[in-house]
Structures are given as C-alpha cells and as structure tokens.
Amino acid sequence: MTPRQLLESLIAIPSLTPGDAGCLDILENLLQQNNFKTQILETNNLRSLYATHGTEHPNICFSGHVDVVPPGPLEAWHTDPFQLIESDGNIYGRGTADMKSGVAAMTIAAINYVSQNPNHPGTVSLLFTSDEEDSSRFGTPYCLDQIHPKLTAALVGEPTSINHLGDEFKVGRRGSLNGILTFTGKQGHTAYAHLALNPIHQVLPFLTELSQIIWDNGHGPFPPTTLQIANLNSGVGTFNVTPGELKVQFNVRNNPASPHEKVIQTVEELLHKHNLHPAVTWDDSAQGFLTENQHLQTTLSQAIQKHTSQIPKPSTSGGTSDARFFALNNIPVIEFGPINATIHAANESIPSADLDPLTSIYQTFLRNYLENPNS
Ligand SMILES: [Zn+2]
C-alpha cells in the first residue's frame, strides 16, 4: 500500500474529535498484516492503538492522532472535506495536514523498514490516539502510563514545516503561566481622598517594575521569557469615586531558564518589596519543555537533508501538542511533519509531492536511529 492510498482511506473517515470512527481499525489491520503486534488501549470510551515490531531496547515510537477538527461551513470548501481530492498540485481534505498525512507516512515508513529489515535492532513502535484535538486526557497520557517498558524516544508527526517540507522541526515548546492579583483598597469620594485608599495609586509602582523585569536572555532555541499584563480592572466608571478594588491579570510565556516556580517567587518578592498583599491566583496552563537529545535531533536533521533541499531549523514556536506528555514522562521527543499553513482551516491541504519524501524521511530516520546509535 502507498502512503497516498492509506491517506485516502483515512481522510474518507470523518473522525471528528474525540474518537477515531474506525481509522484505528484500518491502521491496526494493516500493521497486523505486516507482522506488527497490536493492542487497543481504551479508557473513557476512547481508543488508542499501540503497535510494536521487535522487543529489544531501544524502543523508538512514531506517534500521532487520527482525530480531526470539524470542517466548519461546507460552503467555504471547494471540495468534499472527507474525500482526498488532488487539484493544482495539492491534496485537499480535512486532516491532510493535521495530521493524517503524518500518520499515513509514519505507518508506511515503519512497515517498509521492518519488511526490508525483519531482524532490525531495537523496537519500532507506533502510538495513535484520537483526542488530541479535544481534551488530550484519555489518549497519550493514559497510553504512556500503560506502556511497559517505557518508550526510549518518540517522534510526533505533527505538521511543523512552514514554507517547504523540512524547513522546521520542533524540539520543545514554551510554557504558559497565568497570574491574577486582586488588590483591595477602600472606596470613597475623590474629594475626600484622605478617607479612602486608592489601590490604583498603591499598585502603579509595582506594575511598572513588574512590566520591566528581564527574566532571562533566552535559552537555547527559545526566545527570552516574557510577561504581559493582559487585563487591568478597577473603578466604577465615574470621576468622583475612588475605587475599592483593582484586579490585574497577566500571562507569562517562559523558557526553561525561568521555570514557573522562579516566576512565582520573583512576583511574590516584588509584592513584598512594595508592601502589597493582594489575593493571588496562579494557573499553570502548560509546562514547557526542551528536548536536548542530540542523537534524536541529528538523526532527524540528516534524514530531512537527505530527502529535501532544506537545512531544517529546530524551533520551539506554536501552541501545545501531545509531545508535552512524552516530555513529562522523561521520554525525549521531537516533532516533524508536513507544511502547517492550512491546519484547522477550510480547504486544508498539503502539496501532493510532499507525501512520498515525508515517508522517506521517516524511514531514513528510523533506520539511522536504530542502526547508528552513536551518530
Ligand atoms: Zn495535530
């Protein structure tokens, strides 16, 4: 089977998140026919597929999701979103970029590699989930708890290329932390300010200093950590009332040089310095991570350069993905896949010519990862 044929059958299944709607049966049958051992991991009515070939260490895992976001208004599409259609050098359909091409290419790459090298070193594994576009709670985190022995490393086939196949791959993601500070003063008449306590006046020097903190100078491929004050709410809307309360909401995008604990401590010390005692709420919206595994990065970079004319850039941009759960389990993880320009949009597509080189990159990566462990 070609990656194109497999992709065609996956696109034809409207696997709206959460759920696989039968995509995993197609993948499981195909992998079983090619001598992979397969297992359906199910919890909360949500299925994931784990397949392995070999039993030895290291276990290198190709991972992805088969669920897709809804197509949105069909009038915006030039084609049926659940049919693979080629036009103008592109293949269209919901999931072509995010991320059924990655799933199809990884599956065919793994099958081709093990059929050409039935006695390969290590273990080739695949983990496909179906709630990445939803809560992400019952797919990857659940499966990583169930899989023993633990995976050695993972490649997530999310779409990471920007303008050309192979121009970027991801080695980490920034973290995100929200803070809410509620300052209480004493409401009064602006003409009798000595009887009131204006929290805006109290807090301004602190806010100025907070907005000017230099957290770090970046960290490896990460840009410097930033803090942005996103909301300031106070006052009753008239000119003659001193407000009784000021609420400040801010968001921090951090790299590993400024972990969440350090950010929290710095803000609390600054409050103390200004003798301020607000109610404080922290919301740890996502922990960042960085994969410093050179073997993984070099192997992928060389495979990309072999099959494209790109020198790939390791990047940490973008929102969150299931890659973070591998990092949380101390499994080195890297992300690479097709061009992401149309993900979640109408007329989602990738260039038709990218599917075969993508498959070749994954296959070369697999071979070099397992056969040149010290490259
Ligand atoms: Zn995705």
Side-chain angles (χ1 to χ4, degrees):
M1 186 180 273
T2 64
R4 172 73 172 261
Q5 289 165 331
L6 178 55
L7 178 61
E8 197 157 7
S9 54
L10 293 175
I11 295 290
I13 297 177
S15 50
L16 300 181
T17 190
D20 72 285
C23 289
L24 295 181
D25 300 314
I26 293 179
L27 294 162
E28 182 174 37
N29 287 336
L30 182 63
L31 287 160
Q32 278 177 354
Q33 284 160 21
N34 287 279
N35 304 315
F36 280 78
K37 277 196 191 152
T38 66
Q39 198 182 343
I40 294 288
L41 300 167
E42 184 168 355
T43 184
N44 286 65
N45 291 321
L46 191 98
R47 304 195 309 159
S48 300
L49 170 66
Y50 180 59
T52 54
H53 191 279
T55 52
E56 302 296 310
H57 180 86
N59 179 340
I60 177 73
C61 183
F62 280 154
S63 177
H65 62 88
V66 296
D67 55 318
V68 295
V69 295
L74 294 180
E75 306 86 76
W77 285 76
H78 307 314
T79 62
D80 176 352
F82 298 108
Q83 196 185 342
L84 190 73
I85 306 264
E86 178 158 10
S87 149
D88 310 329
N90 294 311
I91 39 178
Y92 291 88
R94 175 54 90 223
T96 46
D98 189 6
M99 60 168 282
K100 288 177 172 175
S101 293
V103 169
M106 290 189 294
T107 303
I108 299 299
I111 287 172
N112 288 348
Y113 175 67
V114 307
S115 59
Q116 290 160 21
N117 307 274
N119 301 312
H120 61 83
T123 302
V124 175
S125 66
L126 302 111
L127 175 61
F128 295 137
T129 64
S130 55
D131 72 341
E132 197 273 347
E133 301 289 6
D134 190 54
S135 72
S136 279
R137 282 172 59 203
F138 306 118
T140 306
Y142 172 75
C143 295
L144 294 181
D145 272 353
Q146 303 297 312
I147 294 170
H148 297 288
K150 203 164 112 168
L151 304 171
T152 313
L155 188 157
V156 178
E158 285 279 3
T160 59
S161 299
I162 308 295
N163 297 309
H164 302 281
L165 178 69
D167 57 5
E168 278 196 19
F169 62 90
K170 290 201 200 301
V171 293
R173 304 271 184 156
R174 288 188 294 177
S176 177
L177 176 69
N178 296 323
I180 305 172
L181 307 175
T182 307
F183 298 91
T184 308
K186 190 176 171 208
Q187 188 176 319
H189 193 303
T190 52
Y192 299 90
H194 61 286
L195 298 177
L197 190 63
N198 187 334
I200 298 178
H201 293 197
Q202 300 261 303
V203 169
L204 281 177
F206 161 79
L207 288 182
T208 303
E209 212 172 320
L210 181 70
S211 67
Q212 291 169 351
I213 292 174
I214 294 170
W215 298 91
D216 52 57
N217 298 311
H219 181 85
F222 288 95
T225 296
T226 58
L227 179 148
Q228 287 292 304
I229 297 172
N231 291 286
L232 277 185
N233 293 296
S234 188
V236 298
T238 68
F239 286 103
N240 58 358
V241 177
T242 305
E245 190 180 276
L246 167 64
K247 192 166 165 184
V248 179
Q249 292 174 288
F250 59 87
N251 174 252
V252 178
R253 294 292 163 133
N254 70 300
N255 66 48
S258 299
H260 289 178
E261 308 74 58
K262 183 181 145 191
V263 172
I264 291 171
Q265 191 189 344
T266 305
V267 172
E268 285 177 349
E269 281 170 8
L270 191 62
L271 286 166
H272 186 76
K273 178 183 158 191
H274 287 269
N275 199 23
L276 294 167
H277 307 283
V280 184
T281 307
W282 295 104
D283 169 27
D284 207 334
S285 60
Q287 282 287 347
F289 69 91
L290 174 64
T291 295
E292 284 171 299
N293 188 300
Q294 280 311 314
H295 179 40
L296 212 47
Q297 291 195 32
T298 309
T299 306
L300 177 61
S301 179
Q302 287 171 351
I304 291 170
Q305 290 177 63
K306 182 171 174 200
H307 298 286
T308 70
S309 54
Q310 304 295 315
I311 311 255
K313 180 177 148 224
S315 150
T316 58
S317 65
T320 59
S321 81
D322 273 5
R324 70 187 190 277
F325 299 114
F326 293 88
L328 278 172
N329 281 278
N330 294 315
I331 299 165
V333 61
I334 202 159
E335 295 171 80
F336 174 67
I339 295 174
N340 59 23
T342 58
I343 56 174
H344 297 203
N347 302 306
E348 181 176 348
S349 64
I350 63 163
S352 343
D354 285 356
L355 195 54
D356 286 335
L358 180 65
T359 309
S360 303
I361 292 167
Y362 289 143
Q363 191 178 337
T364 300
F365 166 83
L366 207 50
R367 187 185 65 226
N368 291 350
Y369 184 88
L370 291 174
E371 297 177 18
N372 306 318
N374 302 312
S375 71

